[in-house]
Amino acid sequence: MNEKLVKRFLQLATVVLFASSLLWRCANVATLQGGPKDTLPPIVVSAMPGFGTTNFTGKEIYIGFNEYVQIKDQQKEFFTSPMMKKTPTVTTSGKGIRITILDTLEENQTYALNFGNSIVDNNEGNRLSGLRYVFSTGSEIDSMVMSGYTVSASKG
């Protein structure tokens, strides 16, 4: 009786082993085809503090995007207006960028951080053109626009 049990166990073990070897390589390894190529630039989804903040007293700004980004050609593309003595540092952080202000900001001054074409998405390199972050250390945002007309002194 004991011999029959051992024989039955070996038969069952052989069948299980054979069946599992058939299932061992059931999936084919292949590259994913994916969808259409991404041609859209990153989209700003958040800013902390928000765009157009007044009475700004901080030293850090975070701008979040809908995808991971990189900073390219920062030396050529990024500038501040008015120009700061110490250029702020711009680093990537998660799905966004972190700007650290190294200079002392003047009171009642409107500042604009211009990124040019320096922000690109992580995978395809689609450039976000013309991103500009404006804030003020005073209670109003200066439009930085001057208008008027000139009159010739000799002709009146």
Side-chain angles (χ1 to χ4, degrees):
M1 173 91 177
N2 198 12
E3 232 177 83
K4 275 186 172 183
L5 189 59
V6 171
K7 189 174 181 182
R8 184 76 176 146
F9 176 76
L10 287 175
Q11 286 175 341
L12 185 60
T14 304
V15 169
V16 169
L17 187 62
F18 180 71
S20 66
S21 69
L22 289 176
L23 298 175
W24 187 260
R25 293 283 228 152
C26 64
N28 290 335
V29 178
T31 58
L32 297 174
Q33 296 302 314
K37 183 178 179 183
D38 177 17
T39 58
L40 300 174
I43 297 170
V44 175
V45 294
S46 66
M48 196 64 186
F51 285 87
T53 295
T54 55
N55 299 312
F56 181 86
T57 57
K59 289 289 184 184
E60 279 196 351
I61 300 163
Y62 180 82
I63 301 174
F65 297 93
N66 65 332
E67 58 186 315
Y68 290 97
V69 295
Q70 295 178 16
I71 302 164
K72 300 277 183 165
D73 302 324
Q74 181 179 347
Q75 307 297 18
K76 291 189 322 187
E77 298 287 339
F78 178 75
F79 66 94
T80 63
S81 177
M83 194 161 177
M84 296 180 187
K85 292 176 186 170
K86 296 177 184 174
T87 304
T89 60
V90 182
T91 56
T92 57
S93 177
K95 283 188 176 181
I97 57 172
R98 187 169 311 280
I99 302 104
T100 305
I101 298 171
L102 305 173
D103 208 354
T104 302
L105 300 175
E106 295 179 24
E107 289 184 26
N108 298 317
Q109 181 75 45
T110 297
Y111 290 90
L113 308 177
N114 299 285
F115 294 89
N117 293 321
S118 64
I119 298 175
V120 299
D121 67 13
N122 199 35
N123 295 323
E124 289 80 18
N126 300 318
R127 292 191 178 273
L128 173 61
S129 296
L131 177 63
R132 186 174 191 210
Y133 181 88
V134 178
F135 65 93
S136 176
T137 55
S139 59
E140 294 179 358
I141 298 283
D142 181 3
S143 65
M144 297 186 193
V145 174
M146 188 183 314
S147 64
Y149 62 94
T150 58
V151 176
S152 171
S154 61
K155 295 182 182 178

